[in-house]
Amino acid sequence: MATPSKKVYVDEDVGKDDPAADGSEASPYKTLLFAYIQHPPTQPTDPQYFTRKSETGPVSEDGDPEARKEWKPATKSATKKVTSLYEQHKKKLAKTDTLALREKAEQEKRQLALQEALKVKISEDPKLPKATKIRLNEKDPAIVKLRKGTSEKDVGYSEGRGSRVRITGRVHRFRTQKDVIFLVLQDGYGFLQCILTGDLTKTHDALTLTQETSMEVWGEMWEVPPGQHAPDDRELHVDYYEIIGKAAGDKDAITTRVQADGDPQSLLDNRHLVLRGEISSSVMKVRAALLRAFRQTYESEITPPCLEVTPPCMVQTQVEGGATLFEFNYYGQKAYLTQSSQLYLETCLPSLGNVFCVAPSFRAEKSLTRRHLSEYTHIEAELDFITFDDLLVHLELVMSKVIELALADPKIKKLVYDLNPDFQVPERPFMRMRYSDAITWLREHDIPNEEGKPHEFGDDIAEAAERKMTDIINRPIFLTHFPVAIKAFYMKKDPQDLRVTESVDCLMPGVGEIVGGSMRMDDYEELMAAYGREGIDPKPYYWYTDQRKYGTSPHGGYGLGLERFLAWMCGRWTVRECCLYPRFTNRCTP
Ligand code: 4AD
């Protein structure tokens, strides 16, 4: 007697596609495909598959949905459909199995190769000339061997040139082509193409090479063959190397952790690794060049020169309004991180003459914009016995000199134009535009204020409107004579129009405001009235006010945000790319 067919049950409502279910009436599956996978058909009618779902059952009188269900053999059309799906499933399984087998075979082959590679030992040939240790900023042509001819056979080297060198660095990139490894080493001073051949490519280290591995290479420096390109047109024919520190590979490889189009938060978390990239390190090199250029400009490119001073960062007074103060507890007293060193610079004028400083400034900015940082490098200068016009002329001269000096170094010029091919050196004099004319301009160009209304005299020109205007005009603008009410307490009023101040913002295309400056209130009574107007207690400012008591003078100055200047020059989208480890709303790491 034939054994009765096995019965497998599928309930589309409450069944479970889970190996914990067994396909019985009490523990049905959810889909017919899963039932096929768990209990494949062995005969056309074995097993028998039964299905049910609410809609297929008879309507019960009392409306109980459970009562609507009854088990029915799987329909012909459902069986046809599931048979095709089941065949696809089997094919997919077979393919996965083949792939897994192939991968396993490849892994075994690689393991064998790695074990063999362990036997390959390399050593420095004692007969070779002693190598000289160099860094990649050493570009003396005499260390490079020249090729005599263009064909490989014809290769020889010129008498008296070329030497064996040793260089430490990290693997910037590499590729293996036939039996040759081409790797580019980076040492912070430059890049060097290295060529590894023979046993050098067969060691365990060579087979497991990873980007960022630190190593020392020994070899002869050669001119690159005609028609080929390499940094500084030279390449090292390596005869020996030692690995100093292997860099993580696979899932932990730097290329996995840092991807050019990666999500911005992850790039910021991995800023220490991002900084190893060519773009970020180029920006940092231009930053250093700008700092050098500022110092050189202040000290020796302008008359009279400005002396560098270093004011404190921990203060008990505000400069640019209470809203952006970072407060902390200083031995039980309220203190702040400085917003600007301006007030301290003013106190230096009588004995030191014109002064400047390069110091961090801190702003508890609530807005998360691409041009606001919580900590930035502030370049500030203060000039004594000047007029407002003197201040503007000085400012455009300093900015132009700084750009000129930075670009005078061919390495920096290349970095700037690689980063920002459209960079244009601004022409002096910069365009001057009074605030009141800017309001008219914005109205004429239908650029509304933050409330969506036409701009009115007295409005604080918002960032978006300011940027639109700067981008349309597309050249540096000195925006001057802002109304008293929207500027800081210390700014001097324009004697010709007491509604406005002798103030200036320098606006740059693409970035907006990069400099803020003004003439300072030099009259004692007027300053006291300004404290009152702004609700500032004059007591903690006694040292600042005293400047007006002991030989006051017409003076003025400005502050320039280094990161904004850099973003403009290097064509960066945000100031966050223009400092080592950016601090902004809610980010104080790494
Ligand atoms: O216009 P600000 O606030 O002016 C002052 O602090 C003056 N006391 C400076 C002075 O006269 N000595 O700031 C000056 C410049 C801005 O033009 C901008 O470039 C930069 O500092 N800056 C910022 N940069 C990055 N992030 C921020 N949150 C910044 N706030 C100002």
Side-chain angles (χ1 to χ4, degrees):
M1 214 175 79
T3 41
S5 296
K6 187 175 163 187
K7 291 185 169 109
V8 179
Y9 294 88
V10 173
D11 185 322
E12 292 182 20
D13 295 323
V14 295
K16 285 197 176 102
D17 279 351
D18 178 339
D22 60 11
S24 64
E25 257 193 281
S27 173
Y29 300 125
K30 191 171 178 68
T31 64
L32 202 49
L33 177 62
F34 197 76
Y36 264 56
I37 293 168
Q38 295 302 108
H39 306 278
T42 50
Q43 307 272 335
T45 54
D46 191 21
Q48 283 180 303
Y49 301 97
F50 290 90
T51 65
R52 69 176 184 185
K53 58 179 173 183
S54 324
E55 302 86 66
T56 59
V59 183
S60 89
E61 277 173 11
D62 62 3
D64 176 4
E66 285 303 304
R68 297 173 76 221
K69 292 184 176 180
E70 72 178 21
W71 296 113
K72 286 189 169 178
T75 60
K76 259 193 188 153
S77 71
T79 307
K80 198 171 157 200
K81 199 169 148 200
V82 80
T83 308
S84 145
L85 286 175
Y86 182 58
E87 284 310 313
Q88 283 174 29
H89 168 79
K90 282 200 299 191
K91 274 191 201 142
K92 213 158 123 193
L93 271 190
K95 208 167 156 190
T96 318
D97 284 351
T98 322
L99 278 179
L101 278 176
R102 203 180 296 159
E103 202 172 298
K104 197 170 163 228
E106 268 168 24
Q107 263 179 15
E108 282 170 3
K109 206 168 130 197
R110 180 159 168 79
Q111 282 310 320
L112 267 177
L114 286 177
Q115 279 185 1
E116 279 305 301
L118 282 173
K119 294 179 199 155
V120 182
K121 299 282 175 222
I122 55 169
S123 58
E124 194 180 356
D125 182 349
K127 293 196 290 297
L128 290 174
K130 195 170 159 17
T132 320
K133 191 170 167 63
I134 65 158
R135 293 287 187 138
L136 292 177
N137 58 332
E138 286 175 51
K139 305 260 165 90
D140 181 358
I143 61 172
V144 182
K145 284 187 193 293
L146 295 180
R147 290 171 186 272
K148 261 190 186 162
T150 46
S151 86
E152 279 300 313
K153 276 192 211 129
D154 199 14
V155 160
Y157 55 88
S158 43
E159 290 297 317
R161 278 183 64 120
S163 47
R164 193 165 170 262
V165 293
R166 47 189 280 212
I167 297 148
T168 43
R170 289 179 182 79
V171 178
H172 182 61
R173 57 172 183 268
F174 68 96
R175 69 190 159 91
T176 307
Q177 199 177 312
K178 291 192 187 143
D179 295 331
V180 182
I181 296 179
F182 293 87
L183 70 81
V184 174
L185 211 64
Q186 172 183 13
D187 75 347
Y189 296 92
F191 296 90
L192 174 67
Q193 173 154 296
C194 303
I195 312 249
L196 276 60
T197 51
D199 272 0
L200 299 181
T201 66
K202 298 190 180 109
T203 63
H204 190 272
D205 285 335
L207 263 49
T208 55
L209 196 63
T210 45
Q211 192 175 315
E212 291 304 317
T213 287
S214 53
M215 63 195 293
E216 182 158 14
V217 288
W218 281 254
E220 276 180 344
M221 195 79 90
W222 280 80
E223 182 186 28
V224 281
Q228 292 186 20
H229 299 284
D232 301 312
D233 293 325
R234 58 188 188 172
E235 61 189 19
L236 193 78
H237 291 193
V238 179
D239 56 55
Y240 176 61
Y241 61 79
E242 282 175 12
I243 300 291
I244 297 167
K246 267 197 167 172
D250 301 327
K251 287 194 198 96
D252 212 14
I254 190 163
T255 41
T256 314
R257 287 182 65 182
V258 175
Q259 284 164 358
D261 53 356
D263 112 85
Q265 289 312 315
S266 149
L267 289 176
L268 284 162
D269 288 341
N270 286 301
R271 179 79 183 149
H272 57 299
L273 300 179
V274 171
L275 282 169
R276 294 189 181 207
E278 246 174 292
I279 292 186
S280 301
S281 55
S282 298
V283 175
M284 289 306 118
K285 285 174 185 168
V286 178
R287 185 183 159 105
L290 287 181
L291 282 171
R292 268 196 311 277
F294 269 108
R295 290 199 160 97
Q296 191 180 334
T297 300
Y298 285 126
E299 281 160 10
S300 46
E301 299 286 332
I302 53 167
T303 13
C306 295
L307 186 80
E308 182 164 7
V309 291
T310 43
C313 284
M314 299 156 122
V315 299
Q316 289 191 308
T317 44
Q318 52 145 300
V319 191
E320 298 298 326
T324 59
L325 278 177
F326 273 113
E327 192 182 309
F328 68 97
N329 180 328
Y330 189 76
Y331 303 106
Q333 285 182 19
K334 210 184 252 189
Y336 315 104
L337 295 176
T338 188
Q339 295 171 308
S340 158
S341 299
Q342 175 200 323
L343 308 192
Y344 292 98
L345 293 189
E346 287 184 54
T347 67
C348 299
L349 295 177
S351 60
L352 302 178
N354 296 348
V355 285
F356 79 98
C357 71
V358 179
S361 274
F362 303 87
R363 304 280 168 104
E365 301 282 2
K366 307 288 182 299
S367 47
L368 259 179
T369 79
R370 64 187 171 100
R371 63 178 201 177
H372 284 99
L373 292 164
S374 303
E375 175 180 354
Y376 69 96
T377 299
H378 208 167
I379 298 181
E380 295 181 271
E382 204 61 32
L383 316 172
D384 207 3
F385 299 111
I386 55 159
T387 64
F388 183 48
D389 197 51
D390 293 338
L391 178 66
L392 300 186
V393 171
H394 159 97
L395 190 49
E396 64 196 354
L397 176 67
V398 166
M399 287 203 267
S400 302
K401 273 279 165 209
V402 165
I403 296 165
E404 186 187 314
L405 287 175
L407 296 182
D409 178 339
K411 288 195 299 285
I412 300 301
K413 186 172 182 178
K414 182 172 181 328
L415 293 178
V416 169
Y417 284 98
D418 281 353
L419 289 164
N420 185 10
D422 298 331
F423 178 67
Q424 282 177 0
V425 177
E427 278 174 26
R428 270 189 295 153
F430 293 1
M431 178 181 174
R432 267 91 163 143
M433 189 186 215
R434 289 176 79 99
Y435 164 90
S436 51
D437 294 333
I439 295 294
T440 311
W441 191 99
L442 289 167
R443 292 176 72 102
E444 283 170 1
H445 288 77
D446 284 332
I447 299 175
N449 66 15
E450 277 192 307
E451 289 154 12
K453 298 190 184 129
H455 277 92
E456 298 286 346
F457 184 92
D459 282 353
D460 206 349
I461 302 174
E463 194 177 324
E466 180 191 277
R467 187 151 343 114
K468 263 190 205 151
M469 183 176 84
T470 322
D471 289 352
I472 293 173
I473 295 173
N474 198 26
R475 52 180 290 208
I477 308 168
F478 276 160
L479 195 57
T480 63
H481 298 94
F482 289 87
V484 174
I486 60 168
K487 282 293 181 185
F489 73 93
Y490 55 75
M491 290 191 183
K492 187 176 172 140
K493 289 183 189 151
D494 177 6
Q496 314 298 322
D497 178 357
L498 295 177
R499 294 176 309 155
V500 299
T501 50
E502 287 189 319
S503 53
V504 57
D505 279 0
C506 178
L507 312 179
M508 288 299 189
V511 188
E513 183 203 325
I514 63 167
V515 180
S518 74
M519 293 300 286
R520 320 305 190 189
M521 229 171 238
D522 49 39
D523 180 73
Y524 181 88
E525 297 303 338
E526 212 184 333
L527 182 60
M528 293 307 281
Y531 291 134
R533 192 188 69 222
E534 298 291 322
I536 298 172
D537 175 6
K539 258 195 245 112
Y541 292 81
Y542 71 94
W543 52 274
Y544 181 66
T545 318
D546 269 357
Q547 302 308 308
R548 282 83 191 153
K549 236 163 123 180
Y550 297 92
T552 195
S553 62
H555 66 285
Y558 56 89
L560 176 147
L562 180 64
E563 290 78 7
R564 290 192 188 175
F565 193 83
L566 198 57
W568 163 69
M569 206 168 163
C570 296
R572 297 295 92 196
W573 168 249
T574 160
V575 287
R576 296 176 193 173
E577 291 179 63
C578 297
C579 50
L580 268 191
Y581 290 98
R583 266 73 181 108
F584 53 92
T585 319
N586 293 329
R587 177 167 286 272
C588 204
T589 58

